[in-house]
Structures are given as C-alpha cells and as structure tokens.
Amino acid sequence: MEQKFCQSCGMPLTEDILGTNADGSKNEDYCIYCFKDGKFLQDCTMDEMIEHCAQFIDEVNKQMPMPMTREEYVQMMRGFFPMLKRWR
C-alpha cells in the first residue's frame, strides 16, 4: 500500500491519526493535528507551518536511518511542502 502524508504538515498518515470532516467522518488528506470537524486547526502560512514542524526534529530523527539537523529538515520541507494540497 502506498504511504500517504498529511497534505498540510507532511506527517505520514495512518488510520488512527486521520483528521475529521464536518460530519464526523474521517478525512483521508489531513491528520488530526491539522484538521478537525472540517476545519484547519492552524491559520498559518506554509513557512509558519514549516517552522512549527521543525520543532519536532528529534521525533522525526527517531524514524530516520541518518539523523538530520533542524536546518536540513527545514530545507527538505521547503522542497516537499509546495507539493502538498494545502500549499499548492
């Protein structure tokens, strides 16, 4: 199965962290940290979202074969985020 990512923050999506639509159904595009009850939880720009996500670099590095610096992570997100649905 293809890995899906939150189309706002880039977090890998699993069934247990899917956001919710206004009718309470699961939203297949966004995580619970970004989208609830059919609305985004943060009113922010793409750059603000990148800065927000960068604070979790230690958690991200637990999943990586080679750890990244915060700066490397920010650069990676700057290349990846413009492809996400929320930021296109």
Side-chain angles (χ1 to χ4, degrees):
M1 189 172 104
E2 179 185 336
Q3 175 67 61
K4 294 178 102 181
F5 296 91
C6 175
Q7 296 296 299
S8 176
C9 72
M11 176 185 284
L13 284 176
T14 56
E15 188 65 31
D16 58 324
I17 65 159
L18 292 176
T20 56
N21 296 312
D23 64 4
S25 63
K26 297 282 186 178
N27 184 289
E28 299 286 328
D29 289 328
Y30 301 105
C31 74
I32 58 174
Y33 305 111
C34 291
F35 201 75
K36 183 178 178 184
D37 299 329
K39 296 179 183 165
F40 287 108
L41 297 175
Q42 307 93 354
D43 180 22
C44 60
T45 66
M46 183 178 73
D47 286 333
E48 289 168 336
M49 179 61 80
I50 288 171
E51 283 304 311
H52 172 75
C53 292
Q55 70 182 318
F56 302 108
I57 185 61
D58 291 339
E59 202 58 38
V60 170
N61 276 333
K62 290 178 186 176
Q63 312 299 320
M64 302 296 273
M66 297 249 329
M68 287 188 276
T69 66
R70 184 182 187 284
E71 292 74 26
E72 289 169 329
Y73 188 46
V74 166
Q75 282 305 111
M76 184 191 77
M77 288 186 287
R78 284 199 175 123
F80 179 59
F81 275 40
M83 293 183 273
L84 299 175
K85 187 184 285 188
R86 183 175 184 187
W87 311 116
R88 279 190 230 148

